[in-house]
Amino acid sequence: MDDQRHGEELAAKGVGFVDCGVSGGVWGLQNGYALMVGGDEDNVKRLMPIFETLKPEGEYGFVHSGKIGAGHFVKMVHNGIEYAMMQAFGEGYELIEASDVVTNVPETFRSWQEGTVIRSWLLDLLNRALTEDPELDDLRGFANDSGEGRWTVQAAVDHAVPLPAITASLFARFSSRQDDSPAMKVVAALRNQFGGHAVESAKGADSPGADVTPHRSELSWGCRASFGGGRLCGRRRARTRGLVCTRGLARTAGLGGRGARTGLGAGGVGRGPACP
C-alpha cells in the first residue's frame, strides 16, 4: 500500500506518518467528520487535539483502526458499503414506482424514517431529495464513481473475499453511463440468430426493419434446430427433443418431417422455438 511505503520512507528521515480516512460529505463542517486513522500509537496521540476538534461531539466518530494504512483501508471499505446501500435504495425505489398499487412513493419512503430497520442518514437524504423533486424528474440516471468502489472490489479479489453486493453496485454505475450497451447488442444478436427473436433496430422500435427476420441455415427439407441440443437434419428423422412439426403432430420424443422445427427441451408445443 502507498501509505506503508510513505511511512517507511518518512520514518527513515525521522518523520512520523499517520493516515486518516474522512467521512461526512458536505455536512461534515456542520455535524463533524468521522475520522478513521492508522499509524503508531504515539503519533496518533500526538495528533488527538486535531482529531477531537474535527470529529463529531460524543463517543463516536473517531477510531484508531490500526497500523499505517488501516485508516484509508477502512474508509475505502466504508465507501464500498455506501455504494451497496445506495444501490439497494435505488432498486427499491424503482420497484415501488413500477407498481400500480402504490400511489404515493415519496410518502412511503418518508414513513420509513422512524421505526424501521432501514432508517438511516442515507434514507434521510433520499427523502430530502424526494421533497425537492418528488418524481426525480430533474435528474438523469447517470452515476459516476470516485474510485473507492473499484479499490474495494480489487481488494476483495486480492484477499479472495466474496463481495457480490458491493461489486454489483459498482457495475450498476458503469451500466448507468451507457446509452447503448455493446454487450446487450451481442445478446440481442445471438437471440435473434439462434431463436428468431425480434430485435430492436438502432433506428428505434417502430422503424422499418425493427423486427429482423432471423438468418437461417436450412437444408433441403428446411429443418431448423434451436437451442436445447437440437441439430440440423435433412431427410432423416430429427433426433432432437421437443420437436414441433409444422405438417403433423408434435411429439416430445422427436419427429422428423418437412418443415419441422425444434423447441426447447422435452414437450415443445407450437410453431416456434422457445428460447431464453
Side-chain angles (χ1 to χ4, degrees), residues 155-249:
V157 173
D158 294 341
H159 291 80
V161 174
L163 235 62
I166 293 175
T167 302
S169 68
L170 174 64
F171 288 175
R173 295 195 183 194
F174 296 164
S175 296
S176 78
R177 302 169 207 165
Q178 294 181 311
D179 293 326
D180 197 7
S181 168
M184 296 314 295
K185 284 184 178 182
V186 171
V187 172
L190 288 173
R191 293 183 76 245
N192 178 257
Q193 290 292 322
F194 69 62
H197 294 283
V199 296
E200 181 174 317
S201 167
K203 299 177 182 178
D206 297 327
S207 64
D211 292 335
V212 178
T213 301
H215 172 74
R216 301 183 181 184
S217 297
E218 297 182 347
L219 297 182
S220 57
W221 292 109
C223 281
R224 182 162 64 91
S226 69
F227 189 82
R231 62 171 76 91
L232 292 172
C233 61
R235 298 191 181 189
R236 303 181 199 172
R237 295 174 66 125
R239 293 185 177 87
T240 57
R241 288 199 276 172
L243 183 143
V244 179
C245 180
T246 59
R247 298 189 60 191
L249 279 175

Side-chain angles (χ1 to χ4, degrees), residues 31-35 51-52 54-63:
N31 301 327
Y33 299 95
L35 307 174
F51 297 145
E52 289 287 353
L54 294 174
K55 69 179 284 295
E57 294 182 3
E59 181 180 357
Y60 304 111
F62 173 84
V63 62

